[in-house]
Amino acid sequence: MNEKSKKRDKPWMFRTYAGHSTAKASNELYRKNLAKGQTGLSVAFDLPTQTGYDSDHPLARGEVGKVGVPISHLGDMRSLFEGIPLAEMNTSMTINATAAWLLALYVALAEEQGAEHAKLTGTVQNDILKEYLSRGTYIFPPAPSLRLIKDVIVYTARDMPKWNPTNVCSYHLQEAGATPAQELAFALATAEAVLDEVKNSGEVSPEQFPQVVASISFFVNAGVRLVTEVCKMRAFVDLWDEIAEKRYGVEDPKLRRFRYGVQVNSLGLTEQQPENNVYRILLSMLAVTLSKKARARAVQLPAWNEALGLPRPWDQQWSLRLQQIVAYETDLLEYGDIFDGSVEIDRKVEALKEEARAELAKIQAMGGAVAAIDYMKEALIASNAARVEAIEKGEQVLVGVNAYTETEASPLSESGIEGILTVPETVEIGQVAALQAWRQERDEKAVRQALVDLKSAAAENRNIMPPSIAAAKVGVTTGEWGQVLREVFGQYRAPTGIHAKHHVDEARLEEVRRLVDQVSGRLGRTLTFVVGKPGLDGHSNGAEQIAVRAADCGMEVVYDGIRLTPAEIVEQAREAKAHVVGLSILSGSHVSLVREVVQRLREAGLSEVPVVVGGIIPAEDVNILKQCGAAAVYTPKDFQLNDIMTGIVHLVDAKVPELVEQSVPVPPLRQREKVPL
């Protein structure tokens, strides 16, 4: 066959994960990216939107527009998609706890555009179970959350057959430390829990159920270990086919296909020598595109500088061009599966499948994914601890981090231009003003009735989608929708998992433990460390590993999970008689949150308690945080946890006289109650 006459496969969908500051600014970015050859949209929402709050809610302070676009009502959705015909667009929305609401807004806007429901294509992630394990943007307890996922699936099966109603997400599982086998098993267990919920509801006929199985898609993570990642994806394909056929009786092989999109691993990107991230991104992308049998349906790539902060449009363009070069300039799409028949690949795939089946059996023996949340969380904490320790010891090489650290100055970061995109505080002010104007202009009587209807549907176990769409049309806001469902379902606090059994390298901890014992002796009791996650940021991996290592070093650790207000953190510090407070913030809201925590500590008479901060913090913000009162600031470049522990102990040591003097008797620490499953 002539080389030029070979038929090429259709490439995967090109996406970039985008959204920031305002709906209008995000719309401009989307249209630019589409003009550059992007073929689908992937919408990032800010944390208030993800957790069901309006932009003017106290918990939203400092978080508006930081990690995504704020969407408080139908007007914001109009601005977000202005000039983009939804009937012709494939839109992926990374939204979970409020997935039903954001889909309702999308449907309401599509109706305004004259688009038929049946023609809408896209995805809502709508996978709340992994939020309890890794990402943290849950609102409600697992049972009603699973019910909301089911409602979306049932609604789309009837009215939006081309839409993917849930996108089972293993991406954040890998970011939380999951091994390949855990990523396979935990994601597949989640899919089983969702499908069992739909099947047991009786709301989908047996004849239609195979189509529901086919509508389930996945969102996976691809790391830089190329061969293992290729094998993992091939194992996913085989295991899903097996589950669909044997567990759910789906006879048509086409309906058993494993359909997935991918975001390659942001966890593996480094702050040090960030230009190396380009190679990491390419290798990770090849892992999900080389094997035709297990090729991704859609790919979105991070930018080379995402370990530093929000990427600029040019940085996203660079990632898009990488996809286009692989798809159009190489011959990858001209061949069948290049791994078929490989003895090494087959051996690794079978080993992964065997390990994943064992994990799945363990989860099913516990009663399924919902019942096994505590077990899975602790398993992830332990796996992540092992990963962190391997990096610290140099057993897992990270070029530019723990090996080959010598470097020339980078023209990419020293070119005299702003290296990342920052969201000014004025964005929040403008968004809040626009939200308040929206409320004043709507029909309040219609809004009140829509909220009554919504609450009735939630309480009476009717499908949540029709009243949500009706509420969207009359101007109900995200916070109002979330509040109604909170009143019906309650709120939930997921397990922290920090007491997971894990390997402890006693020899490496000996020196730090000696320092902790010495300082504890001078304090008159065990050095007490309060670890807090202020704001709405749910990325808890760093906070968890700090808490685990501090406990291993002999400190008394207070860590109560994510989404605490500054007032709650300060109250914990007061009750625990803390000697040091650590704040973990990855959402870009570090300045306002650190400022408030420090101020509240002063007001509580705890001004001598040092505050340390960790997170994705641009270099130019480090001095600002210290001016706000932070005693030390740690970023991803500070990967040696024992060095962080030593630094914290020295900070406390320098404050011993003052800390002993201000220490006063207080009531015992009250633990938050966890809402039962």
Side-chain angles (χ1 to χ4, degrees), residues 272-527:
Q272 303 94 318
Q273 301 180 25
E275 61 275 8
N276 296 339
N277 293 331
V278 176
Y279 312 126
R280 297 183 176 107
I281 293 166
L282 172 60
L283 288 168
S284 300
M285 190 190 87
L286 290 176
V288 294
T289 56
L290 283 176
S291 176
K292 182 175 180 178
K293 172 184 176 182
R295 184 169 293 151
R297 296 289 188 95
V299 176
Q300 58 190 48
L301 302 181
W304 67 282
N305 56 352
E306 284 200 20
L308 308 177
L310 284 176
R312 302 157 300 183
W314 182 85
D315 305 314
Q316 290 196 326
Q317 175 184 299
W318 195 358
S319 292
L320 175 61
R321 293 294 182 251
L322 189 156
Q323 292 201 58
Q324 291 167 329
I325 288 168
V326 172
Y328 298 125
E329 293 190 22
T330 76
D331 57 354
L332 173 65
L333 299 179
E334 296 173 9
Y335 295 91
D337 200 301
I338 61 176
F339 296 105
D340 282 350
S342 167
V343 174
E344 287 293 329
I345 293 292
D346 288 348
R347 182 183 294 120
K348 180 64 175 177
V349 169
E350 291 305 314
L352 285 172
K353 286 161 60 176
E354 183 177 351
E355 194 175 348
R357 287 192 191 104
E359 276 287 347
L360 270 170
K362 185 184 297 185
I363 292 168
Q364 289 302 335
M366 294 177 182
V370 171
I373 284 175
D374 283 28
Y375 160 73
M376 292 191 286
K377 180 65 176 180
E378 291 190 1
L380 291 175
I381 295 287
S383 294
N384 205 16
R387 183 192 69 85
V388 169
E389 185 178 69
I391 293 171
E392 289 180 292
K393 295 166 71 172
E395 296 170 354
Q396 181 175 326
V397 172
L398 284 182
V399 174
V401 176
N402 61 4
Y404 311 109
T405 54
E406 303 80 5
T407 182
E408 299 293 333
S410 170
L412 288 172
S413 56
E414 297 189 4
S415 57
I417 60 173
E418 182 67 39
I420 57 171
L421 181 68
T422 56
V423 179
E425 292 186 5
T426 54
V427 164
E428 182 170 327
I429 296 171
Q431 176 68 16
V432 168
L435 171 61
Q436 292 171 348
W438 172 268
R439 292 198 190 105
Q440 291 175 356
E441 294 170 1
R442 63 188 183 176
D443 183 341
E444 281 303 316
K445 183 178 179 181
V447 168
R448 286 195 298 272
Q449 185 59 52
L451 291 174
V452 168
D453 295 343
L454 177 67
K455 190 169 188 176
S456 296
E460 296 166 9
N461 205 28
R462 289 185 279 114
N463 193 290
I464 208 71
M465 285 302 299
S468 294
I469 294 171
K473 291 178 179 178
V474 299
V476 166
T477 67
T478 297
E480 290 165 341
W481 184 90
Q483 180 57 32
V484 163
L485 296 196
R486 283 180 172 91
E487 292 170 3
V488 177
F489 300 143
Q491 295 193 85
Y492 179 77
R493 291 198 64 78
T496 66
I498 64 169
H499 302 296
K501 293 181 180 179
H502 61 283
H503 173 263
V504 178
D505 191 329
E506 304 286 346
R508 292 184 67 245
L509 293 180
E510 185 176 346
E511 178 61 22
V512 187
R513 285 176 171 173
R514 184 184 63 79
L515 287 172
V516 171
D517 288 344
Q518 286 179 351
V519 175
S520 295
R522 294 184 62 200
L523 289 166
R525 60 186 176 88
T526 304
L527 193 162

Side-chain angles (χ1 to χ4, degrees), residues 31-54:
R31 290 162 73 171
K32 285 180 181 178
N33 285 346
L34 291 170
K36 292 172 183 175
Q38 184 172 302
T39 52
L41 295 179
S42 182
V43 182
F45 298 97
D46 74 353
L47 289 172
T49 305
Q50 292 183 54
T51 51
Y53 295 109
D54 284 331

Side-chain angles (χ1 to χ4, degrees), residues 164-241:
N164 298 317
T166 189
N167 199 217
V168 177
C169 180
S170 71
Y171 175 85
H172 290 105
L173 299 179
Q174 187 180 119
E175 294 235 313
T179 65
Q182 287 172 335
E183 190 179 342
L184 286 163
F186 294 1
L188 292 170
T190 295
E192 290 179 347
V194 168
L195 286 173
D196 288 352
E197 179 79 5
V198 175
K199 189 174 184 179
N200 294 337
S201 74
E203 296 173 44
V204 173
S205 68
E207 295 75 23
Q208 193 180 18
F209 191 74
Q211 292 292 340
V212 169
V213 175
S215 74
I216 303 297
S217 61
F218 290 76
F219 186 68
V220 306
N221 203 331
V224 76
R225 290 174 56 81
L226 178 65
V227 176
T228 298
E229 293 295 319
V230 168
C231 293
K232 180 189 76 180
M233 297 319 306
R234 291 170 71 90
F236 254 134
V237 169
D238 291 350
L239 289 169
W240 183 242
D241 182 82

Side-chain angles (χ1 to χ4, degrees), residues 85-259:
L86 299 188
E88 302 171 18
M89 181 52 56
N90 189 297
T91 304
S92 174
M93 294 189 283
T94 303
I95 198 73
N96 294 289
T98 56
W101 174 244
L102 271 297
L103 181 59
L105 289 170
Y106 192 87
V107 170
L109 178 60
E111 289 185 10
E112 286 186 356
Q113 291 186 355
E116 298 177 26
H117 290 192
K119 291 184 178 179
L120 296 176
T121 60
T123 303
V124 276
Q125 191 165 98
N126 198 28
D127 173 11
I128 200 63
L129 295 186
K130 62 93 180 174
E131 297 296 320
Y132 303 125
L133 301 177
S134 52
R135 179 61 184 82
T137 63
Y138 55 81
I139 302 175
F140 317 113
S145 294
L146 204 56
R147 172 261 175 102
L148 292 176
I149 294 174
K150 179 265 298 177
D151 281 358
V152 171
I153 292 173
V154 170
Y155 178 82
T156 56
R158 183 181 69 243
D159 285 16
M160 301 169 66
K162 293 184 178 181
W163 193 268
N164 298 317
T166 189
N167 199 217
V168 177
C169 180
S170 71
Y171 175 85
H172 290 105
L173 299 179
Q174 187 180 119
E175 294 235 313
T179 65
Q182 287 172 335
E183 190 179 342
L184 286 163
F186 294 1
L188 292 170
T190 295
E192 290 179 347
V194 168
L195 286 173
D196 288 352
E197 179 79 5
V198 175
K199 189 174 184 179
N200 294 337
S201 74
E203 296 173 44
V204 173
S205 68
E207 295 75 23
Q208 193 180 18
F209 191 74
Q211 292 292 340
V212 169
V213 175
S215 74
I216 303 297
S217 61
F218 290 76
F219 186 68
V220 306
N221 203 331
V224 76
R225 290 174 56 81
L226 178 65
V227 176
T228 298
E229 293 295 319
V230 168
C231 293
K232 180 189 76 180
M233 297 319 306
R234 291 170 71 90
F236 254 134
V237 169
D238 291 350
L239 289 169
W240 183 242
D241 182 82
E242 184 179 295
I243 289 169
E245 182 178 22
K246 294 182 179 179
R247 186 179 179 92
Y248 298 112
V250 180
E251 298 178 356
D252 187 347
K254 292 181 180 179
L255 302 182
R256 303 198 302 261
R257 288 175 179 166
F258 182 78
R259 301 177 308 111

Side-chain angles (χ1 to χ4, degrees), residues 462-608:
R462 289 185 279 114
N463 193 290
I464 208 71
M465 285 302 299
S468 294
I469 294 171
K473 291 178 179 178
V474 299
V476 166
T477 67
T478 297
E480 290 165 341
W481 184 90
Q483 180 57 32
V484 163
L485 296 196
R486 283 180 172 91
E487 292 170 3
V488 177
F489 300 143
Q491 295 193 85
Y492 179 77
R493 291 198 64 78
T496 66
I498 64 169
H499 302 296
K501 293 181 180 179
H502 61 283
H503 173 263
V504 178
D505 191 329
E506 304 286 346
R508 292 184 67 245
L509 293 180
E510 185 176 346
E511 178 61 22
V512 187
R513 285 176 171 173
R514 184 184 63 79
L515 287 172
V516 171
D517 288 344
Q518 286 179 351
V519 175
S520 295
R522 294 184 62 200
L523 289 166
R525 60 186 176 88
T526 304
L527 193 162
T528 301
F529 184 14
V530 168
V531 180
K533 284 285 297 175
L536 299 178
D537 168 35
H539 282 106
S540 58
N541 303 336
E544 290 159 355
Q545 292 306 313
I546 288 290
V548 167
R549 184 60 59 86
D552 289 344
C553 292
M555 300 184 204
E556 182 72 29
V557 177
V558 176
Y559 174 64
D560 199 26
I562 65 170
R563 218 181 299 169
L564 299 178
T565 66
E568 288 172 326
I569 292 171
V570 170
E571 178 62 11
Q572 284 189 333
R574 188 191 70 81
E575 292 187 353
K577 295 187 286 186
H579 299 118
V580 60
V581 171
L583 305 177
S584 173
I585 308 167
L586 287 84
S587 65
S589 58
H590 41 269
V591 173
S592 59
L593 288 172
V594 169
R595 185 188 296 129
E596 184 175 353
V597 169
V598 171
Q599 178 60 35
R600 286 181 177 274
L601 283 170
R602 289 174 182 152
E603 293 169 355
L606 302 174
S607 58
E608 299 303 328

